[in-house]
């Protein structure tokens, strides 16, 4: 009997590298092409060349530098997403606030992730940086991206949400904290939510966002530009104030403690993550229980999924981001599969829910809004 034919090998993942530094281009090429199944099809020296080469080669992923001549990373991202939508990973050469701001602006133009440029060969962080780059490029190649419309051009009118007028009508008991966990794709989802909330919220928002180390100050500044209330990085023993948003800092777990204070914990990473949404949500369950509302946004993996279910079982209101609006459906998808989500909503409707709760406007019964 003949042995079954082996399946055809998958086509290689095709990457376009855009960076004005020849050294950086070669470093990125070397890291990516050291991986089986990845090929760098072209390298661009500036933003205009990146747009042209993206049209010519139609890569699976583009890595995009921020500061480049002729067109910077934001402008090139906007052009590519308008002409030939492609998953774009922004590679920042610096963690200074101004450059990080441009990186997150690129995400609003359609980029799917922001990473720090890997350190060079021989640096203690090189191996970890290289693994993060390859892991992100592979994952982002699976992301379905859509055409973005350029500023000043008319876009199709967005369909009105049929459920916007029928958001939750009843949440049992007061909400003393809104706890949000987020990862890949989360920055834009968070900006969408925070920018649509009113000032004077009657509860604090506490956020754990998985983020490249060194980017959190720039991320906090970027979010604060959109939100009508203070947004800042949490410090140990901070008192949680209504109408304020707190972000977990780099490299440390964030938890809440009795008395409404922040605790920063230097314990071991969980599932390789520190901060961990799971650690944070467990502390919310212990301290606030049914007086909390927890939200799990887009992200790879399962961080926070089991803990969202735990919170729901305690009587907390729980929300998972819907599949259609997620960059990566991993974390919210896992929570939904476990039965951890009271509601499954896109960011705009999550914001509408929180706004209605803050106005005591009878937000909805969970059964009427849940969708698979």
């Amino acid at each position: 009997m003949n042995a079954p034919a082996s399946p055809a090998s998958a086509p290689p993942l095709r990457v376009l590298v855009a960076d004005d530094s020849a050294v950086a281009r070669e470093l990125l090429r070397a890291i990516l092409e050291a991986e089986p199944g990845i090929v760098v099809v072209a390298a661009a020296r500036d933003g205009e060349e990146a747009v042209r080469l993206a049209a010519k080669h139609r890569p699976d992923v583009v890595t995009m530098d921020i500061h480049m001549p002729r067109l910077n990373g934001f402008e090139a991202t906007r052009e590519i997403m308008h002409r030939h939508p492609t998953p774009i990973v922004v590679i920042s050469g610096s963690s200074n606030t101004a450059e990080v701001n441009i990186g997150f602006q690129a995400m609003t133009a359609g980029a799917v992730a922001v990473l720090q440029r890997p350190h060079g060969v021989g640096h203690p962080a090189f191996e970890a940086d290289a693994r993060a780059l390859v892991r992100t490029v592979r994952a982002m190649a699976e992301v379905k991206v859509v055409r973005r419309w350029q500023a000043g051009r008319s876009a199709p009118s967005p369909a009105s949400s049929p459920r916007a007028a029928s958001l939750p009508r009843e949440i049992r008991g007061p909400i003393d904290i809104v706890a949000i966990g987020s990862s890949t794709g989360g920055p834009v989802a968070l900006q969408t939510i925070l920018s649509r909330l009113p000032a004077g919220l009657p509860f604090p928002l506490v956020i754990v966002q998985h983020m490249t180390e060194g980017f959190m100050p720039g991320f906090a500044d970027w979010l604060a530009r959109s939100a009508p209330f203070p947004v800042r990085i949490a410090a140990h023993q901070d008192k949680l104030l209504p109408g304020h948003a707190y972000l977990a800092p780099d490299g440390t777990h964030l938890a809440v403690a009795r008395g409404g204070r922040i605790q920063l914990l230097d314990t071991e990473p969980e599932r390789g993550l520190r901060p961990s949404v799971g650690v944070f949500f467990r502390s919310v369950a212990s301290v606030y229980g049914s007086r909390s509302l927890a939200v799990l946004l887009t992200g790879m993996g399962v961080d926070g999924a089991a803990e969202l279910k735990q919170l729901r079982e305690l009587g907390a209101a729980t929300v998972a981001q819907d599949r259609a609006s997620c960059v990566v459906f991993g974390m919210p998808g896992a929570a939904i599969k476990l039965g951890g989500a009271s509601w499954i909503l896109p960011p705009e409707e999550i914001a509408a829910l929180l706004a209605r709760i803050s106005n005591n406007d009878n937000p909805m019964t969970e059964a009427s809004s849940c969708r698979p």
Side-chain angles (χ1 to χ4, degrees), residues 152-166:
R153 297 193 54 162
S154 58
S157 298
S160 60
S161 168
R163 300 178 322 119
S166 59

Side-chain angles (χ1 to χ4, degrees), residues 275-344:
S276 156
V277 178
V279 169
F280 171 45
F281 277 4
R282 288 197 298 272
S283 73
V284 173
S286 175
V287 174
Y288 289 93
S290 64
R291 294 177 291 112
S292 60
L293 187 152
V295 180
L296 196 57
L297 298 176
T298 172
M300 289 187 283
V302 299
D303 190 22
E307 290 78 11
L308 196 74
K309 181 184 180 185
Q310 177 189 4
L311 281 158
R312 186 179 185 187
E313 290 171 345
L314 290 172
T318 58
V319 182
Q321 186 174 346
D322 70 339
R323 180 190 291 271
S325 65
C326 282
V327 170
V328 181
F329 193 50
M331 288 160 47
I336 293 165
K337 187 174 182 179
L338 290 171
S342 305
W343 302 294
I344 304 165

